[in-house]
Amino acid sequence: GENVEQHPSTLSVQEGDSAVIKCTYSDSASNYFPWYKQELGKGPQLIIDIRSNVGEKKDQRIAVTLNKTAKHFSLHITETQPEDSAVYFCAASISSGGYQKVTFGIGTKLQVIP
Amino acid sequence: DARVTQTPRHKVTEMGQEVTMRCQPILGHNTVFWYRQTMMQGLELLAYFRNRAPLDDSGMPKDRFSAEMPDATLATLKIQPSEPRDSAVYFCASGLDPDRNEAFFGQGTRLTVV
């Protein structure tokens, strides 16, 4: 099955700096790559996603890039703010048995220091 | 506002007891997921329902776990008998369309089996 590796596991940045989280996936058939943000005591929430026919997508301060050849994708957060502090999960989705099966990375705990 | 509702939020039980977790998906959504989150394994898919029918429960230990959707407004995850290794946060998520992929997560049930 699909295997998603994510790093780093923890990341501390100064407010205003950029943060980058990287993921790799194993199954070249994966075609959808969502990123989720999980705040303390809450469930994960989708913040941005990218499909395999797109190389880059941007939404205000966050952007994702996808390199299908190398099977890796990244999340970039610019001008970080304290409210960006959370755990971020990457995921890869593959069509399996008639539905999209999502495999999550282990998560990155991001701390933005004011 | 529309949200996935899970009950209870916290549950402490003794080993061997039955545990039932409930989920009310967002009205109109036709897909429901159950995930288990632990520090070691991250987010693991336990079961997936579409239009109340189970499509994939391969991630679920069959001998003690069961998942059902008695109607479109209720999904249940049952553990019988519970074991200490079942201690985790259990998330329910729902979605509108399998092609859209996005899963809306509830706030989770934190289960502790002692």
Side-chain angles (χ1 to χ4, degrees):
Chain A
E2 176 66 282
N3 182 46
V4 176
E5 294 192 355
Q6 180 173 353
H7 58 94
S9 56
T10 59
L11 179 60
S12 289
V13 299
Q14 289 291 135
E15 181 178 357
D17 287 351
S18 295
V20 179
I21 301 170
K22 298 183 179 182
C23 291
T24 61
Y25 61 99
S26 59
D27 196 327
S28 56
S30 288
N31 59 1
Y32 173 69
F33 306 90
W35 287 86
Y36 283 81
K37 175 184 180 182
Q38 185 177 22
E39 296 175 337
L40 197 62
K42 297 185 178 181
Q45 182 177 15
L46 180 74
I47 55 171
I48 195 167
D49 55 14
I50 191 168
R51 296 192 179 273
S52 58
N53 58 348
V54 175
E56 186 174 354
K57 184 176 178 180
K58 201 171 183 178
D59 183 3
Q60 299 183 340
R61 295 186 298 107
I62 59 174
V64 290
T65 59
L66 171 65
N67 182 326
K68 283 196 302 181
T69 304
K71 294 205 283 286
H72 64 70
F73 55 116
S74 302
L75 176 72
H76 303 250
I77 306 174
T78 58
E79 300 172 28
T80 53
Q81 300 168 5
E83 51 264 39
D84 295 329
S85 296
V87 179
Y88 291 81
F89 293 94
C90 64
S93 176
I94 187 171
S95 181
S96 172
Y99 80 102
Q100 290 289 121
K101 187 164 187 175
V102 180
T103 302
F104 286 86
I106 200 70
T108 295
K109 185 175 182 179
L110 172 65
Q111 182 184 20
V112 179
I113 304 165
Chain B
D1 61 327
R3 66 178 73 178
V4 175
T5 303
Q6 289 187 248
T7 56
R9 291 291 313 277
H10 303 273
K11 176 72 176 179
V12 180
T13 191
E14 290 185 347
M15 182 174 63
Q17 295 298 305
E18 177 179 298
V19 175
T20 298
M21 291 169 271
R22 294 178 173 80
C23 167
Q24 181 176 358
I26 293 173
L27 188 64
H29 280 187
N30 64 345
T31 57
V32 170
F33 309 82
W34 282 104
Y35 285 92
R36 175 170 61 187
Q37 185 176 41
T38 61
M39 287 294 293
M40 294 301 295
Q41 300 296 327
L43 278 161
E44 304 172 278
L45 179 67
L46 297 176
Y48 169 89
F49 289 76
R50 184 194 294 166
N51 296 324
R52 295 175 55 201
L55 286 195
D56 186 354
D57 59 3
S58 58
M60 205 164 63
K62 300 293 191 303
D63 55 339
R64 300 182 299 107
F65 284 60
S66 62
E68 296 179 344
M69 281 200 74
D71 61 59
T73 64
L74 177 64
T76 62
L77 179 66
K78 191 175 293 186
I79 308 174
Q80 167 64 21
S82 58
E83 297 180 2
R85 59 180 167 149
D86 300 330
S87 297
V89 181
Y90 291 82
F91 286 103
C92 173
S94 71
L96 177 60
D97 182 338
D99 293 333
R100 294 185 58 184
N101 303 130
E102 180 177 0
F104 294 81
F105 282 78
Q107 292 197 295
T109 294
R110 180 175 294 278
L111 174 65
T112 303
V113 184
V114 298

